[in-house]
Amino acid sequence: MALSGTRRRAAYLFVVPAFILYSVFVVYPLFTGLTYSMFEWKGTLRSTFIGLSNYSHLFTEAFRNELLAALGHNFLLLAGTILVQNTLGLAFAVALFAVRRGKRALQTMFALPYLVNPLVIGYLWTLLLSPTFGPVNSLLRSAGLESLAMPWLGDPKSALLTVILINTWQWVGFPMLLFSAALGGIPPEFNEAARTDGASSWKVFWHITLPLLRPAMATVTILSFIGSMNAFALIYALGGSNGAPAGSTDVLGLLFYRTAFASGDVNAIGTSSALAVFMFAFIFGSTLVLQRVLRSRS
Amino acid sequence: MTQSKAIWFKVLLWAYAAFSMSPLVVMLISSLRPTAEIFDKPLGLPSRPSLANYSKAWTEASFSTYVVNSVVVVVAAVLLGAAVSLLAAYPLGRYVFRGRSLFTAYFIGGMTLPAHLGVLPLFYLLQSMGLVDSRLGLVLVYAAGSIPFNVFVLTAFFHQLSDELDEAASLDGAGMFSTFWHIMMPLVRPAIATIVVFQFVPIWNDFFYPLVLMRDESKLTLPVGLTHFFGEFQNDWGTLFAGLVMTTIPLVVLFVLATRQIVAGLTAGMNR
């Protein structure tokens, strides 16, 4: 409906409070970060304009190694999310679709872990997986699986895999819910028509259901990407701000936090602002590309 | 679907559900056991269930302070964020006027921005306003951060309402605000429930902003309080488990009360 006169002016007044709040506390800081990144800093004092030097510092040898390792861990987390968590989530959603009674109870139980604070999840698993008093190892020992009773989070070789599994355990209910909703939106006639033509249930799933789930898959993939790249609290709780053990669980979020607040670098603000802008451009840009690619196919 | 296949699906689902819940159940049971008993037998029922761990966490570990701070900050932020978003979404979702799509894109664009990355400038901004180490500062940051999702959901809801509502209202001589308040607000109630529930969870769980913006122990919210607590009570597992349970309970209660709203919120944007 088109507005005129006083009503149009009123419309702007309605928008103003949100506009101010959002501009001051979300948009302005993001843009100021960009200017921060182009100055040299002495503690909290802005010193000289140095253009892109802070960015090139990100790729000097010492920093680059840390940056690439962290980025690599983010990608492994993403791979685990897509391959393990989202596939499981889809399988559960399909199975759940065939179940008539107890649906709501099942949904609730699958979804509960993702409501729990990631920090709580991290600390909880730290206790459960403790090599000395943790119940997981004592359970494995009593089941005769002595060789599996190990310091899951203490060994650099297994730590990241353990993080991925814990993350999957926490989040699998989320793709399950989204896929369930999408399955519910598929008209049953499609399925029935194929069945009367004699298609097996596997064929129906592969040729009819799966293609119709593409929009939901696109959404889930994009959310997985954003979630994996922004991982912080769970990993902080499991491995502290250094990504223990031996940096094997370090991710971009931790690296940014350390650079900004715990590096002891005089130019900490400059370096970490450059890192923030780099991460921002990378995550935002990749999300746009992903969205383009995934949506155009569906 | 053959009968046997459906049964297998059921077995699989209930088995995973049990697996999914078991760590949380262990957490709950352990919180009722003394630490010595947990160390002695990590898996087991409490010989004499007691709430001693809870009272210890509540008093000695200042959980009472953290919980009060969290409740105050989260409730204020969710309400403020919902209020400004409702006002903005009403004209943006319903009327045609210059700048409308630009405003909408500006607000909704924030959904894909990792706003955490503006945290350093945000810190200095709050400092210049005297709002570092203040609960009000945290409230403003959270409320602002909730605007993109809120506007996204609410504009869709306002858009669905019939144009005749406006015609009837203007025949009665109602102004814009009166139309909004008396006619539209009651109709978008389900959407309000969705955004309130949906913002509560991430704000209650947020760790990053208070980690950076808050130093004063007496003003910490639960998540950062939890990290201090975990260091301090390292060897007192009973109390640790009690603390974890206390941080979790409000969300579980909310979830059980509002599963439908959460599902609706999750799927709200999927068909756009």
Side-chain angles (χ1 to χ4, degrees):
Chain A
M1 189 187 265
L3 287 183
S4 56
T6 49
R7 285 182 163 253
R8 196 172 60 225
R9 251 163 282 145
Y12 293 118
L13 284 180
F14 273 73
V15 179
V16 161
F19 183 77
I20 293 175
L21 198 61
Y22 176 67
S23 303
V24 172
F25 292 102
V26 176
V27 180
Y28 170 78
L30 282 172
F31 277 99
T32 331
L34 193 65
T35 65
Y36 276 25
S37 72
M38 299 191 192
F39 282 85
E40 190 184 337
W41 291 74
K42 298 216 158 69
T44 57
L45 289 175
R46 198 155 89 168
S47 161
T48 35
F49 180 83
I50 51 169
L52 298 177
S53 295
N54 287 325
Y55 291 88
S56 55
H57 177 73
L58 297 182
F59 296 94
T60 55
E61 202 172 322
F63 204 94
R64 184 184 57 208
N65 292 341
E66 250 185 306
L67 178 62
L68 290 180
L71 188 63
H73 296 150
N74 281 100
F75 273 112
L76 286 174
L77 199 60
L78 175 66
T81 305
I82 290 179
L83 296 179
V84 185
Q85 172 193 302
N86 295 351
T87 312
L88 261 182
L90 176 61
F92 289 150
V94 171
L96 196 67
F97 197 66
V99 170
R100 245 164 284 148
R101 278 192 314 159
K103 211 174 197 161
R104 179 90 184 267
L106 281 167
Q107 261 179 351
T108 308
M109 287 196 273
F110 277 67
L112 263 182
Y114 79 68
L115 284 177
V116 180
N117 191 328
L119 217 55
V120 170
I121 299 289
Y123 287 135
L124 173 60
W125 281 98
T126 306
L127 296 177
L128 296 180
L129 291 170
S130 152
T132 38
F133 301 113
V136 172
N137 281 343
S138 74
L139 195 70
L140 289 169
R141 276 190 208 103
S142 62
L145 296 165
E146 190 71 39
S147 62
L148 280 176
M150 56 177 193
W152 295 83
L153 287 161
D155 185 342
K157 274 185 242 127
S158 58
L160 187 62
L161 181 68
T162 310
V163 169
I164 290 173
L165 293 176
I166 295 172
N167 194 54
T168 298
W169 167 79
Q170 176 170 26
W171 284 98
V172 72
F174 186 75
M176 187 202 75
L177 270 184
L178 290 180
F179 284 130
S180 292
L183 282 171
I186 296 175
E189 298 85 45
F190 287 17
N191 197 328
E192 281 155 21
R195 303 294 299 215
T196 33
D197 289 348
S200 70
S201 50
W202 177 248
K203 270 203 167 139
V204 173
F205 174 74
W206 196 250
H207 293 290
I208 295 173
T209 314
L210 215 51
L212 288 169
L213 285 179
R214 274 217 184 129
M217 279 188 210
T219 304
V220 169
T221 307
I222 290 164
L223 292 175
S224 301
F225 179 78
I226 296 174
S228 308
M229 292 302 141
N230 288 317
F232 185 75
L234 175 72
I235 298 181
Y236 184 97
L238 288 170
S241 61
N242 293 314
S248 62
T249 60
D250 197 19
V251 288
L252 289 176
L254 290 182
L255 178 63
F256 169 70
Y257 177 73
R258 285 203 309 276
T259 311
F261 302 103
S263 61
D265 175 3
V266 190
N267 186 31
I269 294 183
T271 310
S272 62
S273 294
L275 179 59
V277 173
F278 170 77
M279 284 169 64
F280 173 79
F282 174 71
I283 297 173
F284 191 58
S286 311
T287 308
L288 288 183
V289 171
L290 262 179
Q291 224 148 14
R292 216 4 92 89
V293 172
L294 292 170
R295 298 244 189 263
S296 69
R297 254 198 255 150
S298 54
Chain B
M1 184 73 46
T2 56
Q3 203 63 34
S4 71
K5 209 182 273 171
I7 288 168
W8 273 110
F9 280 173
K10 247 186 201 172
V11 171
L12 173 91
L13 285 169
W14 283 101
Y16 188 85
F19 170 72
S20 174
M21 295 297 287
S22 56
L24 301 175
V25 172
V26 171
M27 168 172 91
L28 191 64
I29 292 175
S30 304
S31 73
L32 303 170
R33 307 171 75 200
T35 301
E37 209 182 294
I38 301 176
F39 282 173
D40 192 37
K41 237 180 105 200
L43 283 170
L45 291 173
S47 59
R48 239 177 295 125
S50 109
L51 295 175
N53 293 327
Y54 287 88
S55 63
K56 192 170 176 194
W58 189 256
T59 53
E60 280 178 46
S62 31
F63 256 75
S64 46
T65 316
Y66 304 147
V67 169
V68 170
N69 287 338
S70 267
V71 170
V72 169
V73 167
V74 176
V75 169
V78 168
L79 291 181
L80 177 64
V84 297
S85 306
L86 273 164
L87 285 172
Y90 166 57
L92 293 176
R94 291 197 63 73
Y95 305 118
V96 179
F97 57 99
R98 190 200 300 252
R100 172 210 198 190
S101 43
L102 209 62
F103 276 123
T104 312
Y106 179 65
F107 286 131
I108 292 178
M111 274 207 312
T112 42
L113 302 179
H116 275 166
L117 295 177
V119 72
L120 268 177
L122 189 62
F123 179 85
Y124 293 110
L125 175 72
L126 289 176
Q127 200 172 47
S128 70
M129 296 171 144
L131 291 176
V132 162
D133 240 338
S134 114
R135 281 160 291 206
L136 175 63
L138 216 48
V139 167
L140 294 171
V141 170
Y142 285 139
S146 74
I147 290 172
F149 177 80
N150 289 354
V151 168
F152 178 67
V153 172
L154 293 171
T155 45
F157 264 82
F158 276 114
H159 188 71
Q160 286 165 6
L161 302 178
S162 144
D163 273 359
E164 282 154 31
L165 289 168
D166 283 284
E167 282 151 25
S170 67
L171 281 182
D172 288 345
M176 188 108 155
F177 189 78
S178 154
T179 313
F180 166 74
W181 187 253
H182 295 293
I183 298 175
M184 305 297 171
M185 279 289 277
L187 294 171
V188 292
R189 239 182 244 154
I192 299 175
T194 301
I195 59 165
V196 165
V197 167
F198 223 64
Q199 293 301 342
F200 189 94
V201 179
I203 299 180
W204 179 269
N205 283 345
D206 182 65
F207 168 58
F208 195 71
Y209 282 131
L211 178 70
V212 175
L213 304 175
M214 312 291 275
R215 295 289 138 86
D216 185 346
E217 181 83 17
S218 71
K219 288 174 186 163
L220 288 182
T221 52
L222 257 176
V224 183
L226 196 64
T227 65
H228 291 205
F229 162 76
F230 215 79
E232 206 177 317
F233 285 77
Q234 246 174 44
N235 296 313
D236 190 350
W237 283 32
T239 311
L240 290 181
F241 278 119
L244 297 180
V245 172
M246 279 198 278
T247 313
T248 307
I249 279 180
L251 289 179
V252 175
V253 171
L254 184 80
F255 185 75
V256 173
L257 289 177
T259 317
R260 206 176 304 159
Q261 245 78 39
I262 290 180
V263 176
L266 276 174
T267 50
M270 283 192 41
N271 300 320
R272 301 217 334 180

